[in-house]
Structures are given as structure tokens and as C-alpha cells.
Amino acid sequence: MNGHNGFGDSGLDEDNFGESSALKAVKAFDVFPKTKPSYTEQTNSGGIWTIVLVLASIWLGATELGRWWVGETTHTFSVEQGIGHDLQINLDIVVHMRCEDIHVNVQDASGDRILAGNALHKDSTSWVQWGNDRKLHYLPKSKDERLDLSGYPGFGEYREEDVHNYLGAARATKKWPKTPKLPKHVFPDSCRVYGSMEGNKVQGDFHITARGHGYMEMGQHLDHKAFNFSHHINELSFGPFYPSLVNPLDNTVATSENHFHKFQYYLSVVPTIYTTDPKSLKKYTDKYHESPSSGEDGMKQHHKRYAKDTVFTNQYAVTEQSHAVSEMNVPGVFVKFDIEPVMLTIAEEWASFLSLFIRLVNVVSGVLVAGGWLYAMTEWAKEMRSRGRRQGNGGYEGILSPAGPSANGEKKGF
Amino acid sequence: MPAKSRFTKLDAFTKTVEDARVRTTSGGIVTVTSLLLILWLAWGEWADYRRIVVHPELMVDKGRGEKMEIHMNVSFPRIPCELLTLDVMDVSGEIQTGVMHGVNKVRLRPESEGGGAIESKALQLSEDDAAQHLDPNYCGECYGAPSPSNAIKAGCCNTCAEVREAYAGVSWSFGRGEGVEQCEREHYSEHLDAQRKEGCRIEGGIRVNKVVGNFHFAPGKSFSNGNMHVHDLENYFAGGDGIEHTFTHKVHHLRFGPQLSDEVVTRIGKKGMAWSNHHLNPLDDTEQKTEEKAYNYMYFVKVVSTAYLPLGWEQKTSVFDIPSELIKLGDYGKGEANSIETHQYSVTSHKRSLTGGDASKEGHSERLHARGGIPGVFFSYDISPMKVVNREARSKSFSGFLVGVCAIVGGTLTVAAAVDRALYEGGSRLKKIHSN
């Protein structure tokens, strides 16, 4: 140790100013070989190389940082906890029949019948008012059609789900749009049924049928010519009402010329949570509270109901079938839904700050080491080339010339 | 010095001749700090390597012909054991036969006396225990009803239970058994009256086929009348001694399949995102109260198969290869190396009065309840096609651990070298300025 210090006497005098012996001892641990400036050589190519390496590590570090910033989206599933009771159904549908001619009901597995007609609003309207300037579409049949949800940014089928899209959409207005005013002298030929209602959280059948058909006790018989179950679905969703979240049946239209036509939809409802704060969600998920995904009742019991970072909702898968039926059957719009026991959680998580730091360190050091190696190899290759050339010239100098530094120096000439 | 080969230039580990080396205090500090950092990070890497994580996987349940055990512990403080029956039915409404069961009825002291247990008796799902101390030639009368097929002596009704069975067989109401010799001998009505104030707890397990079905607790003997499943409700509705029976009940415990151990549950819960995957039975320790006699509770249960495969588990033989009859009740689903095949469930509860009416009490006046039916507590269960497999695994392999350590050592040292170099250069610049 002393020997080394002695060597560095001239240049490093100041190191010894007021230096304690403890610090001197620490000095012995220095494993990083530094060379006195007089023994090192700085070259032009080395400088350029350094700049390239720095740029490379900045670029890689920046992408790493970007990836960390975006976060990682995880999809987890679990069996739904808590004892369910109710399920909120949000509906906005326009049927091409007059309001007094239709009945809206839900019949479910518990044996209850829900007079949905009493819980929902009915507005008389005109069929032509719906569907002109609105982006309506038939339920997509082919894969291409499903993928082309150009009207809904971020919601295409195979697009990666960005939790923030859903959080943003959930924050938007929660009001039902107004029914457009009927123009003068236009006879209302359609009925808009809209609103939210609570059903039992069991398998059920939601249906719109004609007065006097299907349910025996209701009203008098309706003329078969008045039947027209063509309909627009503006909104059909389950759970808390988020009009901006797009569901598969939203803005779809189904038409038929037949008077006796049966439209059937089969829905599988999957409770879903979108969150950017999965860790705190853990604290609030317990079995004594109803799942907030089921609607207002469940939301009331939940601590996180107003949290900005979590959306409790339901997704659903739908299949559709429609066909003309004989006069012996009951025509109408039938929505059969069943609730899946497995709940999805789509969470966006950030890795810890420490792990980001480690990755950055790894990136930078990796680039430096690999870059140093590459530099040495390019230098070697160059030297080999120049040596070969000089040998070709027959000069003696080439063999005698010192290998390292001079080659570096000569490099500029090439 | 050895002769310089053409590979000398390739040396990535250029060495400074000892004479040209400089050691500085700042360099030493950087070295010690980076060493400590390396140790700390490597320790973290080691902890990560030793950690066992549980990976939940979702797959389609491909099992066939499996059984499922239902373990329950439900108490009814307002119904005596004598009145309460448990029926297990499959999807078509047939009473399941040949189910393996070990259910006990525990008589509970009246609620006013604190509700402790009095005696426990094994419950027979279909037949009742034999009459004793009777003349071997005795043949009891069935009072006009045909003798039950499972009578001890063909064509006879030797016990009160058999007379009740015979009545149930032809859908006659049995009542309190007055004027029926067998029942008076067995003091049926006195027993019933004596028990009026008592409650009943039903605890134990049954093994059923893993198909959609239901089980229910209802009063009185049940019998099938055509396609209808009917219970003899007379004694339940009559009450007596100022007692009104109701189906107030408390579910202490209800699970489908074996219970995961607490250790396993915490382990599943430990993983950051598995917060929602813990295995809990949502109905445990829940209570429902009513003052109405004709009241019906329904639980819609969706059962999801769940497997837990611990570390070191290898598929040798399936748990389900052994004929289920050979496995003791309560052990079904417990495999080798502590692997467990069980079920989780989600549940929706529903209640209604048998008189119908609407749900305006709960604020849903548009909801019309069905009328009629049987008072009782019904569990109808549905089997989900999905299966959750919780598989234990090491979060890293050994080579992964080594790679991690190398990355830590290399990365830290390189960055430390750069830091040290910067300090050194900065220091010597400063000195130069000073000396000038």
C-alpha cells in the first residue's frame, strides 16, 4: 500500500491532507484500477465510441423507463366472494311498437317475476328518429366485423385493454340521454324503454312481449298486425350504470318484416373489476359484503365505490338467434342471462422503484461492458488489416512498430 | 514479457501494470459501498429464489364421473330434529339414492335456554332405525296404506316411522299419529311435543355425484307425488305449546370438498395479485332470521372445481382413480403429497314468503314473488365448467438465480467503476485548478 502511495506522491499530495488512518485503510479496498492520466491515452475514435455508447444507454434506459411508466396489465380471475342478492340491469331499447302495446318483464330462476315495465321509463317516439345519424350496426357476424370497432377507440376485440380507458369512460356522465322530441303531426309508432332496475342475481329471462300474448292475465288481446318487434338496443349492461363503457349489444339494431318474430339473446355475464390499485382492493374485498359489481346495492356496501382508480362492472358474451314463429308461439324480444361464478380483475400495476433502478443499472453497465469489448475488437480488426497491408508493402516498420497506441494513433489516417 | 500474439489486442481484460496503478480513498469507499450493495441485492435474489409462489391457472374441468362432498353445519333454533328432514336431489328432481353420507342431527336446547347440544343422532336419509323388543311374529297394521318397500318385514308396518313412510308413500298426511298403535307405543306425539321447543343442528357430509342438483332442509317426511316433491307439513304448521316453528337458520359452515389448511390459504393469499383467490366459503357464519312460518330461503350456489398442487407434486395416479366407495367420507379429494381437489363457490341468496307478495320491504315493489311451495332452506348448486388450479412453484430456477446474481455483481461493479472514474477525474481536475 505504501508503495503505491509512494508512487502517486507527486500527483496525489492533496489526498493526504488531513486524511485519517481509517480513510487510508479504506483506500486499500479500492479494486477499481485507475491509471494516472499520463499513462492513459485518449483517442478520437474512443471519444466517438463513448458518445455512441452513452446515447445507446440513454435510449435503452428511456425505453425501460417508458415500459415502467406504462405499467403492466395483469388479468386475474377468482371465484366471486360475498353473498349476492341483486343485479342491476341497465337498459335502453327502442321497440317498433306503441308503448301501451308492450309488456316488459323479467322471470328468473328464483321464481320471481319482475314487472320491469313499472321500474323503467317508457317514452313514445318515432322509429325514424332512431337510426339515421346514429352509428348503429347489426350484431357483427364475422371476425373482421368484430375487429372493426372503429367507432370505439381502444375497445376492439383483440386490442390490449387499457385500464385507463375504462377508468376514464366510467368517470363520464351517468345520465340517460333525452328522448328526441316528436316532430309535429308525427304519429308515435315506437316505444323507448330505458332505465335501471334491480333483478335477482340469478339466471333470468328478460323479455318484451305484446299485450295479451304470453302473460294470460294482462290486458286485452292485441291485433296481430300491430306486432313488430324490430328494435334498437342503445344500451344493455349489468351492474353500476356506466353509459360510456361499450358493451357488445350497445347500438345494435335488429329488424324483421314478420309480425310473429322471436328475437333471442343469450348472455353470459362476467363480473369484472378494472383497477390501477389492486393492492388496496385486497383490503376491501371480503365475504361479508356483496360484490360491488352487482349494482347500486353492492356499491353502497363498499368502501371503494367512489374511488377514481377502480371500476366495478360486468362484461358479457352474447349470442343471438332470431326467427319467425308460428301464431301458436309468443313473439317478442327475449334476453336470457346467466351469471358466471368466475370474476375477472384487470389490474394495472407498476413495478417497484427499486426494481426499475436495478434494471437501469443493468442496462447501462451492460451497454458499457459490451461496448468496451466491441471497441477492442474493432481496434484489433483494424490493426490486423493495417498490418496486413504494410506487410504487403514489404516494409519492415510494420513488424517493428509497437502494437497498441501507435495503431490507435494511425487510425485517423484510414 | 511474453511475446505479443495477434490476440493480445483482443484482451477485454486489459491490465494496468502495477506501477501505473493508483488507489484512492474515494475508490475504496465506492468499493466498500458497492460490495455492501451487492450483498444486499444478492440476498434479495436468494430470498426470491427460495420463495414459493402459487400460480393460479384457469382451465376447463375435464373430469368425468367424479363425486363431490358437501360438508355442512347448519342450525335451526326453531325447528326440532323430529320435524326436520334433509333431501338431496339431482337435476331431474329425483331423490339421490346410494349417496354416501354421515350426517348427524344434533338436538339443541331451546333458544331461551342458550341453545346447547342435547344429543346427537346419525341421520338416515331414506330409512329409519329398526324396531326393537318386538315379538318376532308381530306384524303391525299400516292403516290402509300399502307397506313401504323398505319395511323390515314385508307387508307390515312395525314401527311408527314405517307407518309414516307408508302414509308418505300414498301422499297421505300423517299428523301426530293419534290412534296409531305403533306411534302411541313409541310415544311419537309425546316425543314431538317434548321436542317442540328444541332446535336442531345438522352437521356432517354427504357425497353426491358431481352433477347439477339441490339439497334442502324442510319440515316433515317427504314423498314424491307424481312429478311433485311433497313434504308432510301438517306438524310444522300446527306448532304447539305456543311455539311457532320458523326457518330461522345459521350456516356455521358449508363447503364443497375438503378444506384447505390455513397455511395453504395464507400462502395463496401472499402472492401480490392473488388477493382475490383465497379460498373462503362465503356462506360460513351467516345467519338469516324470520318470524314467518311460511317462509322459503333459497341459495343459488355455483361450484367451481379448485385444485391445489403443492411443490414437488407429480402426476402419478389421479385421486379419482380409486373407487370412491373405498374412500372415507371427508377424505375424498385429498391426494398424495398434500394435493387437494376441492371446490370454491359463489352464492346468491333469495328469500320469499310462501304467500307471495312483492319485495316492497326491500324497496323493490316491482318484484313479485312466486306463491306457494315448501317452507324450508334450499341450496341449489350448479357446476361451473371452469376449474382453478393453484400450482405451487419456485419463482426462479437455480440457474435463474445464478444469472440474477451475476447480473447484480457485474452491473453494480461496472456502474461503481464508472462512478469511481468520475470521482477520480473530477478530483484530479480540481487539484489541477488548485495548483494553478
Side-chain angles (χ1 to χ4, degrees):
Chain A
M1 162 184 166
N2 282 333
H4 300 301
N5 270 352
F7 186 83
D9 266 349
S10 59
L12 295 165
D13 268 350
E14 270 166 359
D15 269 359
N16 297 329
F17 269 88
E19 198 178 52
S20 70
S21 58
L23 277 180
K24 265 186 199 163
V26 167
K27 210 186 263 187
F29 288 106
D30 186 3
V31 291
F32 303 114
K34 284 167 287 285
T35 338
K36 284 185 65 186
S38 48
Y39 289 91
T40 58
E41 184 198 23
Q42 280 164 336
T43 61
N44 224 352
S45 67
I48 293 169
W49 200 249
T50 309
I51 289 170
V52 169
L53 287 188
V54 166
L55 287 180
S57 47
I58 285 174
W59 176 62
L60 287 175
T63 56
E64 200 64 37
L65 196 71
R67 205 165 358 185
W68 176 78
W69 180 251
V70 168
E72 199 184 347
T73 307
T74 54
H75 296 240
T76 46
F77 52 86
S78 59
V79 176
E80 201 173 12
Q81 295 293 315
I83 303 172
H85 297 286
D86 293 342
L87 178 66
Q88 185 177 332
I89 303 172
N90 312 298
L91 176 81
D92 183 352
I93 185 170
V94 181
V95 184
H96 202 167
M97 283 172 77
R98 292 188 309 149
C99 282
E100 56 266 35
D101 292 343
I102 58 172
H103 284 299
V104 190
N105 288 285
V106 180
Q107 195 90 48
D108 65 36
S110 69
D112 284 5
R113 177 171 143 206
I114 297 157
L115 305 175
N118 299 352
L120 303 173
H121 307 280
K122 280 183 187 170
D123 280 355
S124 289
T125 181
S126 158
W127 181 252
V128 288
Q129 282 177 309
W130 300 86
N132 288 339
D133 52 336
R134 302 164 60 84
K135 28 176 196 196
L136 285 176
H137 54 88
Y138 290 85
L139 205 58
K141 298 264 186 323
S142 72
K143 192 175 169 182
D144 288 342
E145 279 180 283
R146 276 207 311 278
L147 287 170
D148 177 36
L149 280 174
S150 42
Y152 314 104
F155 292 110
E157 195 182 9
Y158 295 119
R159 194 102 26 108
E160 197 179 356
E161 291 177 296
D162 186 350
V163 174
H164 291 285
N165 282 351
Y166 289 89
L167 292 179
R171 237 172 278 157
T173 175
K174 290 191 181 167
K175 286 204 183 99
W176 293 97
K178 280 211 178 85
T179 312
K181 264 211 182 111
L182 269 179
K184 271 181 195 167
H185 314 301
V186 172
F187 180 71
D189 60 347
S190 298
C191 186
R192 178 186 180 214
V193 183
Y194 68 99
S196 298
M197 53 172 283
E198 298 264 338
N200 292 311
K201 198 178 180 180
V202 293
Q203 190 180 351
D205 186 349
F206 178 100
H207 42 253
I208 299 174
T209 49
R211 168 164 59 91
H213 290 79
Y215 288 98
M216 296 325 278
E217 74 267 36
M218 280 207 245
Q220 68 272 63
H221 190 262
L222 179 70
D223 184 20
H224 290 178
K225 291 219 170 59
F227 287 8
N228 186 348
F229 285 101
S230 299
H231 58 276
H232 291 166
I233 299 175
N234 299 320
E235 165 86 25
L236 177 61
S237 64
F238 297 88
F241 179 47
Y242 296 117
S244 303
L245 290 186
V246 178
N247 294 287
L249 277 177
D250 290 5
N251 295 319
T252 56
V253 58
T255 51
S256 167
E257 299 294 316
N258 300 319
H259 293 306
F260 272 83
H261 206 90
K262 193 170 187 172
F263 295 94
Q264 282 174 297
Y265 297 98
Y266 301 90
L267 270 58
S268 287
V269 178
V270 182
T272 307
I273 298 176
Y274 296 98
T275 183
T276 52
D277 190 12
K279 295 233 163 59
S280 79
L281 205 57
K282 181 182 188 172
K283 280 184 238 160
Y284 300 116
T285 316
D286 62 69
K287 65 185 186 123
Y288 297 106
H289 295 122
E290 195 174 343
S291 164
S293 291
S294 58
E296 288 303 325
D297 277 15
M299 291 282 270
K300 273 183 218 143
Q301 302 174 12
H302 207 274
H303 299 75
K304 296 265 313 178
R305 64 196 138 151
Y306 298 124
K308 290 230 158 51
D309 52 13
T310 309
V311 182
F312 299 98
T313 181
N314 291 275
Q315 302 182 91
Y316 59 81
V318 59
T319 52
E320 176 212 28
Q321 118 168 342
S322 84
H323 54 89
V325 291
S326 75
E327 300 208 353
M328 302 297 290
N329 289 304
V330 182
V333 181
F334 296 81
V335 180
K336 291 182 162 62
F337 56 89
D338 197 1
I339 295 111
E340 294 294 318
V342 174
M343 177 180 79
L344 284 181
T345 306
I346 294 138
E348 201 175 88
E349 275 186 298
W350 281 283
S352 72
F353 203 76
L354 182 75
S355 72
L356 168 75
F357 175 73
I358 291 176
R359 293 183 80 159
L360 283 181
V361 166
N362 275 347
V363 164
V364 171
S365 61
V367 167
L368 287 183
V369 171
W373 204 316
L374 267 178
Y375 175 68
M377 272 167 71
T378 50
E379 290 303 306
W380 175 75
K382 264 175 209 158
E383 199 200 337
M384 283 338 303
R385 235 169 81 197
S386 66
R387 198 179 277 183
R389 206 173 279 182
R390 256 171 278 166
Q391 268 174 347
N393 289 343
Y396 256 67
E397 288 163 276
I399 298 162
L400 289 176
S401 74
S406 67
N408 285 346
E410 277 167 16
K411 189 214 130 263
K412 276 174 274 171
F414 285 101
Chain B
M1 254 198 199
K4 277 184 184 164
S5 81
R6 60 171 56 191
F7 292 102
T8 315
K9 198 66 186 134
L10 254 187
D11 186 4
F13 309 99
T14 49
K15 287 153 286 279
T16 323
V17 285
E18 194 66 10
D19 288 352
R21 277 192 168 189
V22 180
R23 289 183 193 240
T24 60
T25 314
S26 61
I29 290 169
V30 169
T31 310
V32 172
T33 325
S34 56
L35 267 180
L36 290 178
L37 193 66
I38 285 170
L39 280 180
W40 179 56
L41 290 176
W43 178 77
E45 195 72 16
W46 172 255
D48 203 26
Y49 163 61
R50 294 306 299 174
R51 206 180 56 201
I52 295 168
V53 291
V54 179
H55 292 294
E57 297 162 23
L58 197 61
M59 53 176 73
V60 174
D61 192 357
K62 297 196 183 73
R64 277 179 300 130
E66 287 176 19
K67 303 273 181 183
M68 178 169 76
E69 280 185 2
I70 305 169
H71 293 268
M72 62 188 102
N73 187 348
V74 187
S75 58
F76 300 86
R78 305 284 296 273
I79 303 169
C81 287
E82 193 64 50
L83 272 181
L84 197 63
T85 57
L86 164 66
D87 285 320
V88 185
M89 302 168 94
D90 69 10
V91 61
S92 59
E94 295 277 310
I95 295 200
Q96 290 227 349
T97 48
V99 293
M100 197 170 180
H101 63 88
V103 182
N104 290 324
K105 272 181 172 178
V106 182
R107 283 169 59 196
L108 300 176
R109 263 180 257 284
E111 270 178 311
S112 51
E113 292 171 29
I118 300 172
E119 66 160 354
S120 172
K121 188 182 159 198
L123 167 77
Q124 301 294 315
L125 275 181
S126 42
E127 68 267 50
D128 228 322
D129 48 357
Q132 290 152 2
H133 314 298
L134 283 175
D135 176 11
N137 295 322
Y138 173 80
C139 180
E141 200 192 338
C142 288
Y143 299 89
S147 162
S149 56
N150 57 355
I152 305 151
K153 206 167 182 185
C156 302
C157 293
N158 279 4
T159 63
C160 184
E162 280 180 14
V163 181
R164 280 159 65 206
E165 188 92 4
Y167 268 60
V170 286
S171 311
W172 292 349
S173 175
F174 183 72
R176 291 162 49 79
E178 272 134 356
V180 177
E181 180 207 344
Q182 292 92 326
C183 294
E184 282 178 356
R185 186 178 63 229
E186 291 175 23
H187 307 289
Y188 175 71
S189 59
E190 286 121 86
H191 271 306
L192 193 59
D193 284 338
Q195 288 190 13
R196 282 277 181 206
K197 289 185 175 164
E198 292 177 6
C200 190
R201 185 168 78 224
I202 297 202
E203 55 182 33
I206 48 179
R207 186 180 296 167
V208 296
N209 291 318
K210 197 169 160 182
V211 291
V212 180
N214 80 74
F215 60 96
H216 57 258
F217 303 96
K221 265 239 164 324
S222 64
F223 44 88
S224 290
N225 186 353
N227 285 330
M228 296 276 283
H229 177 77
V230 192
H231 282 257
D232 179 2
L233 306 175
E234 194 182 324
N235 277 315
Y236 172 77
F237 280 126
D241 278 351
I243 296 289
E244 294 234 309
H245 301 306
T246 67
F247 266 96
T248 294
H249 65 280
K250 180 167 187 181
V251 181
H252 303 285
H253 198 60
L254 179 73
R255 62 186 156 93
F256 295 79
Q259 180 78 47
L260 292 180
S261 69
D262 288 347
E263 187 202 352
V264 167
V265 173
T266 48
R267 189 172 287 170
I268 296 177
K270 244 183 215 164
K271 205 194 154 214
M273 272 308 295
W275 55 272
S276 46
N277 233 302
H278 42 195
H279 184 96
L280 286 175
N281 302 310
L283 277 178
D284 287 7
D285 293 320
T286 54
E287 197 169 10
Q288 300 243 43
K289 283 188 171 158
T290 178
E291 290 299 322
E292 217 175 311
K293 272 192 282 189
Y295 215 71
N296 172 292
Y297 291 98
M298 281 181 109
Y299 293 98
F300 297 87
V301 176
K302 299 220 169 183
V303 175
V304 183
S305 307
T306 305
Y308 185 80
L309 307 176
L311 202 66
W313 176 88
E314 270 175 63
Q315 175 101 48
K316 285 180 204 131
T317 52
S318 170
V319 187
F320 303 118
D321 287 348
I322 310 164
S324 62
E325 296 79 37
L326 300 179
I327 303 169
K328 214 168 66 205
L329 195 75
D331 282 351
Y332 189 79
K334 288 183 184 164
E336 64 220 39
N338 294 325
S339 70
I340 286 174
E341 298 272 352
T342 182
H343 303 88
Q344 299 177 81
Y345 62 92
S346 72
V347 62
T348 298
S349 79
H350 181 259
K351 56 187 174 187
R352 68 182 171 96
S353 167
L354 297 187
T355 53
D358 57 29
S360 44
K361 259 189 238 166
E362 289 124 59
H364 299 297
S365 57
E366 74 279 5
R367 201 178 292 176
L368 299 184
H369 292 312
R371 292 183 62 171
I374 307 167
V377 179
F378 290 71
F379 293 86
S380 79
Y381 53 88
D382 197 353
I383 315 286
S384 163
M386 305 312 281
K387 177 172 188 168
V388 178
V389 178
N390 288 303
R391 200 188 295 272
E392 272 187 4
R394 288 244 182 264
S395 55
K396 265 184 185 157
S397 66
F398 185 66
S399 58
F401 162 69
L402 284 184
V403 167
V405 169
C406 289
I408 285 170
V409 172
T412 318
L413 282 184
T414 316
V415 171
V419 169
D420 174 62
R421 181 75 177 275
L423 285 176
Y424 178 70
E425 299 284 341
S428 41
R429 292 263 159 90
L430 265 178
K431 258 168 254 162
K432 232 174 231 170
I433 294 167
H434 267 267
S435 57
N436 290 346

